[in-house]
């Protein structure tokens, strides 16, 4: 401990003055009394007041001396230098991935990590600086090279834990950029080490320390949830993992459209995973929700959602005299509600999202998407259709990657004739021959149009496995799902929303959120507010009569074994990184004055002295009054 004003020790001379007052005899006035029998207390005071007698230690004397010592210490401003575990230019990387939500460290790993960083900020010495990086899927610099403790604490308070992975390589790249030009720079990573594994060990030109948070605690997690049809029955499948060091029996409940189906229990060995199956489920089920009933330190991986079938359904009308091939291929599409009529009975209906005309083109085309199969000779918006011609070799067009995905054109052998198509500039050839295009597709007047120029009965295409695949690709091109694939995305993954033709507004409603308008403008920008697991409803508002609204959805699930295994990493994949210990050798940089604590103690001493003096005076006065009071008896 050091004294900032050692000259103030001269005030310690007040202590012998206090003692001198106790040695010296006070001056009293002489009074003549008739008897000293009732004045024994006064005689004791006179005895105690004799000068230069032996000093008697009393509580009041001790408190006065203690108060004097406290006053002197306060005046000297004592201070001490505390060792700080960090110094110079330190870049702190705070991990904010899903595993930091674990509550094995109260109140959570993330809050514990933030508390440790707060202590480091409080111990910041003169000339030291701290930068703060939040490490998630996309690391972010919260504050750079600051020595202002208030600003650093405010930046730390803005950091939030996420449901994402942690990209260590990107975080170190940011840290290296901040450390450039600082010879005393060092990096401190605070977290549990659940980071994306790089291709090789990371090397950085600065010292790196790792402060591990958390313990090896048991956890269970849902890794998958899906549905499929088995022998005409809808069933649900869930994969569960036991990330513990002992076997566990885990109850799992399943809900179909919010209604409980049943609770099943799966027994898993330590570190093992297994699958549960429910079924048959109601055929009209749209959403599934599974939940593990367990008291684990992490809850985000105990829930999972899935979409049954297509995430968005459209109404389609097939106008044909009789085409079983086309009808069967359209009826099995999961995102279509198919209606059928004949050309003779056809009446324009504005409520269909897709109209399929087989061998027929009406005088007035309906709104919505259009698919023409074997159109009759004539001139149409998609190009002229002329006399039949023979065709030879079949191949894919230049812009056909999506529509011909998994379609084998080499299997088509018996195509006999075709119409001569001259497509407009907005239409692109998908299937071509040297003589004429066979399939064209494109957009006109804010709707999608496709034309198959031949009669399906004149080809063996409907008999090939590629035909239902081609129809699936076409239907998904006409009426795309809001999110491609199964509609399941990982947290914080940007989502590209596909708009249906004729739509003038799109909103997305996430779990517990208000609807957010994402379009217009069109095309729809990537939607990136997907950190919260759950169901996201996508509403598409069309400009057609009646202002129709089509609802689609996608789900966000954790499904991340890296984050669900809660045992902290012993080391990070960084060359020459070391474990950080705050109790290790520190840097004696932080000067802290301790006189305010002494002043607070001094105030207590003065209060005790006043209380003791007042009590002694009151007792002495009361006793003297009782002894001198005369007693009369009649």
């Amino acid at each position: 401990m050091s004294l900032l004003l050692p000259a103030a020790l001269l005030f310690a001379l007040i202590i012998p003055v206090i003692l001198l007052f106790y040695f010296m005899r006070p001056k009293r006035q002489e009074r003549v009394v008739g008897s000293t029998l009732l004045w024994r207390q006064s005689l004791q005071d006179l005895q105690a007041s004799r000068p230069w007698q032996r000093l008697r230690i009393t509580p009041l004397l001790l408190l006065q001396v203690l108060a004097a010592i406290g006053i002197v210490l306060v005046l000297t401003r004592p201070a001490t230098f505390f060792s700080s575990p960090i110094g110079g230019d330190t870049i702190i990387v705070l991990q904010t991935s899903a595993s930091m939500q674990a509550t094995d460290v109260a109140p959570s790993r993330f809050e514990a990590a933030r508390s440790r960083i707060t202590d480091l900020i409080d111990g910041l010495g003169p000339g030291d600086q701290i930068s703060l990086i939040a490490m998630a899927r996309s690391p972010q610099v919260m504050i750079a090279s600051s020595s202002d403790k208030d600003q650093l604490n405010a930046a730390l308070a803005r950091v939030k834990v996420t449901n994402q992975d942690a990209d260590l390589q990107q975080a170190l790249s940011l840290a290296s950029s901040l450390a450039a030009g600082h010879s005393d720079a060092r990096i401190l990573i605070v977290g549990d080490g659940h980071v994306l594994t790089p291709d090789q060990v990371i090397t950085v030109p600065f010292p790196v320390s790792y402060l591990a948070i958390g313990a090896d605690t048991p956890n269970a997690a849902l890794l998958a949830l899906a549905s499929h049809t088995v022998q005409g029955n809808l069933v649900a499948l869930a994969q569960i993992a036991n990330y513990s060091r002992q076997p566990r029996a885990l109850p799992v409940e399943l809900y179909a459209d919010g209604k409980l189906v049943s609770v099943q229990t799966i027994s898993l060995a330590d570190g093992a995973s297994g699958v549960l199956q429910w079924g048959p489920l109601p055929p009209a089920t749209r959403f599934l929700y599974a939940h593990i009933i367990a008291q684990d330190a992490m809850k985000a991986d105990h829930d999972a959602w899935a979409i049954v079938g297509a995430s968005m359904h459209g109404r389609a009308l097939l106008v044909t005299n009789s085409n079983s091939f086309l009808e069967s291929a359209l009826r099995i599409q999961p995102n279509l509600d198919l209606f059928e009529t004949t050309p003779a009975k056809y009446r324009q209906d504005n409520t269909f999202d897709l109209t399929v005309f087989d061998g027929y083109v009406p005088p007035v085309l309906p709104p919505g998407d259009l698919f023409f199969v074997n159109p009759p000779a004539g001139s149409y918006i998609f190009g002229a259709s002329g006399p039949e011609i023979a065709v030879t070799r079949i191949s894919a067009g230049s812009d056909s990657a999506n529509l011909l995905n998994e379609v084998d054109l080499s299997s088509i052998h018996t195509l006999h004739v075709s119409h001569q198509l001259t497509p407009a500039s907005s239409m692109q050839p998908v299937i071509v021959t040297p003589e004429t295009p066979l399939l064209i597709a494109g957009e006109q007047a804010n709707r999608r149009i496709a034309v198959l120029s031949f009669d399906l009965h004149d080809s063996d295409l409907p008999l090939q496995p590629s035909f239902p695949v081609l129809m699936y690709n076409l239907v998904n091109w006409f009426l795309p799902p809001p999110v491609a694939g199964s509609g399941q995305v990982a947290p914080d993954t940007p989502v590209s929303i596909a708009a249906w033709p004729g739509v003038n507004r799109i909103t997305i409603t996430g779990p517990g959120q208000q609807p957010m308008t994402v379009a217009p403008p069109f095309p729809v920008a990537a939607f990136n507010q997907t950190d919260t697991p759950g169901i996201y409803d996508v509403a598409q508002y069309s400009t057609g009569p009646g202002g129709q609204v089509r609802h689609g959805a996608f789900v966000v699930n954790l499904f991340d074994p890296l984050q669900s295994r809660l045992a902290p990493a012993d080391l990070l994949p960084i060359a020459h990184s070391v474990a950080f210990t705050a109790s290790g050798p520190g840097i004696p940089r932080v000067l802290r004055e301790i006189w305010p604590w002494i002043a607070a103690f001094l105030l207590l001493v003065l209060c005790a002295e006043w209380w003791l003096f007042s009590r002694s005076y009151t007792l002495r006065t009361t006793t003297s009054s009782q002894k001198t009071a005369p007693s009369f008896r009649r």
Side-chain angles (χ1 to χ4, degrees):
M1 185 177 67
S2 302
L3 300 179
L4 301 182
L5 292 176
L9 289 174
L10 294 175
F11 287 97
L13 296 176
I14 194 174
I15 296 176
V17 173
I18 294 174
L19 297 177
L20 182 63
F21 286 160
Y22 274 85
F23 279 115
M24 295 180 63
R25 177 179 179 179
K27 294 181 179 180
R28 302 181 183 274
Q29 296 181 356
E30 293 185 2
R31 292 287 187 271
V32 178
V33 296
S35 173
T36 61
L37 179 64
L38 302 178
W39 298 87
R40 293 181 179 178
Q41 181 65 36
S42 298
L43 293 176
Q44 293 177 1
D45 290 345
L46 290 174
Q47 181 69 22
S49 300
R50 291 178 182 177
W52 315 116
Q53 63 176 320
R54 180 182 176 184
L55 182 64
R56 298 177 59 192
I57 304 300
T58 64
L60 194 61
L61 172 62
L62 293 177
L63 288 176
Q64 290 174 348
V65 173
L66 190 60
I69 295 174
I71 293 174
V72 174
L73 289 178
V74 169
L75 293 176
T76 58
R77 293 180 60 190
T80 184
F81 284 91
F82 287 87
S83 296
S84 173
I86 62 173
D89 195 344
T90 304
I91 302 167
I92 299 179
V93 179
L94 172 58
Q95 182 181 335
T96 61
S97 64
S99 60
M100 294 296 288
Q101 301 176 36
T103 57
D104 55 327
V105 180
S108 69
R109 291 184 178 183
F110 178 74
E111 293 300 333
R114 190 150 59 176
S115 177
R116 297 292 296 272
I117 296 176
T118 299
D119 294 339
L120 296 177
I121 292 175
D122 292 341
L124 197 64
D128 295 339
Q129 291 182 332
I130 287 180
S131 300
L132 180 62
I133 295 176
M135 181 174 60
R137 181 185 296 271
S138 299
Q140 180 182 2
V141 177
M142 305 304 298
I143 191 170
S145 301
S146 176
S147 56
D148 189 312
K149 296 183 180 180
D150 291 336
Q151 292 183 5
L152 288 169
N153 284 314
L156 181 60
R158 292 195 302 269
V159 183
K160 305 298 181 183
V161 68
T162 70
N163 290 297
Q164 308 166 23
D165 282 314
D167 195 324
L168 177 63
Q169 197 159 10
Q170 286 194 41
L172 290 178
S173 178
L174 279 178
S176 297
S177 300
L178 295 175
H182 299 271
S183 58
D184 59 346
R186 63 189 65 202
I187 300 173
L188 172 61
I189 300 173
V190 184
D192 57 22
H194 293 181
V195 298
L196 294 174
T197 305
D199 296 334
Q200 57 185 2
V201 176
I202 305 173
T203 303
V204 292
F206 307 100
V208 178
S209 300
Y210 166 48
L211 175 57
I213 303 293
D216 186 359
T217 185
N219 187 40
L222 279 162
L223 297 184
L225 179 64
S227 64
H228 70 286
T229 303
V230 178
Q231 297 179 350
N233 294 322
L234 179 65
V235 299
L237 297 173
Q239 183 182 5
I240 303 96
N242 174 27
Y243 297 119
S244 308
R245 296 188 180 276
Q246 59 185 4
R248 298 183 69 182
L250 300 169
V252 183
E253 54 188 6
L254 180 76
Y255 293 82
D257 291 335
K259 297 180 179 180
L260 178 64
V261 177
S262 67
V263 179
Q264 297 190 47
T265 300
I266 184 171
S267 297
L268 297 174
D270 53 303
S273 63
V275 176
L276 286 177
Q277 176 175 311
W278 289 264
L281 303 177
T285 300
R286 190 180 179 204
F287 296 109
L288 298 175
Y289 166 64
H291 172 68
I292 298 176
I293 305 174
Q295 297 298 322
D296 289 335
M298 185 172 173
K299 303 296 184 182
D301 52 5
H302 284 192
D303 303 298
W305 294 260
I307 301 174
V308 179
S311 63
M312 197 166 188
H313 283 254
R315 289 165 50 88
L317 175 64
L318 172 61
V319 183
T320 181
N321 282 314
S322 178
N323 193 330
S324 59
F325 298 131
L326 195 56
E327 179 186 357
S328 299
L330 291 173
R331 198 167 294 281
I332 64 174
Q333 302 304 318
N335 57 343
L336 277 187
D337 296 327
L338 184 64
F339 300 84
E340 189 175 351
T341 188
T342 63
K345 297 180 179 180
Y346 170 74
R347 298 292 183 270
Q348 182 172 329
D349 191 331
N350 297 331
T351 64
F352 290 102
D353 304 296
L354 170 64
T355 305
V356 182
F357 294 104
D358 178 34
Y360 169 72
V361 177
V364 179
L365 296 176
D369 295 341
L370 301 173
F371 182 27
F372 298 96
V373 179
N374 189 31
S379 180
Y380 308 106
I381 61 174
F382 50 77
S385 178
E388 297 181 355
I389 61 172
V391 298
T392 55
R393 180 173 49 87
I394 300 175
S395 60
S398 58
D399 298 323
S400 59
N402 293 330
L403 290 178
L404 296 184
N405 184 35
E406 302 297 332
V407 175
D408 182 13
L409 296 179
S410 64
S411 63
I412 306 174
H413 299 294
T414 60
L415 183 65
H416 296 298
V417 294
S418 173
H419 293 292
Q420 176 69 46
L421 290 182
T422 307
S425 59
S426 60
M427 310 292 287
Q428 303 297 325
V430 179
I431 301 177
V432 298
T433 68
E435 294 77 18
T436 181
L438 299 183
L439 176 62
I440 60 175
E443 291 192 28
Q444 285 189 351
N446 198 27
R447 60 182 175 183
R448 295 183 174 182
I449 302 173
V451 183
L452 191 64
S453 63
F454 58 91
D455 189 346
L456 291 175
H457 297 89
D458 293 335
S459 168
D460 65 349
L461 174 62
L463 305 176
Q464 304 298 330
S466 295
F467 180 64
V469 178
L470 174 63
M471 295 305 298
Y472 175 82
N473 293 341
L474 279 169
V475 169
N476 280 277
W477 176 74
F478 282 121
L479 306 175
V483 178
S486 63
Q488 295 198 15
V489 298
D492 199 48
T493 300
V495 174
S496 297
I497 303 297
W500 284 19
V503 168
N504 67 334
R505 185 165 66 94
I506 299 177
T507 64
I508 297 179
T509 306
Q513 299 175 358
Q514 296 295 324
M516 295 172 285
T517 299
V518 296
F522 293 92
V524 186
F527 179 72
N528 54 14
Q529 299 183 36
T530 58
D531 185 67
T532 304
I535 300 174
Y536 290 73
D537 178 78
V538 181
Q540 302 201 21
Y541 299 83
S542 64
T543 57
Q548 298 180 19
V549 182
R550 295 287 184 262
H551 287 276
F554 64 92
V555 296
V556 175
N557 289 312
L558 189 57
F559 293 166
D560 192 343
L562 177 64
Q563 298 299 319
S564 295
R565 293 187 178 96
L566 296 183
D570 296 329
L571 293 175
L572 294 176
I574 306 173
H576 310 300
S577 61
V578 297
F580 177 87
T581 55
S583 59
I587 304 173
R589 294 176 176 270
V590 185
L591 178 66
R592 294 182 181 176
E593 296 191 34
I594 60 176
W595 67 264
W597 301 101
I598 300 177
F601 177 72
L602 173 62
L603 180 61
L604 294 176
V605 170
L606 293 176
C607 291
E609 181 190 10
W610 172 85
W611 176 82
L612 184 62
F613 175 78
S614 300
R615 184 172 180 275
S616 300
Y617 179 81
T618 302
L619 290 175
R620 187 164 55 247
T621 304
T622 302
T623 304
S624 300
S625 300
Q626 292 175 350
K627 290 181 178 182
T628 57
S631 176
F632 299 95
R633 180 176 299 176
R634 184 179 298 274

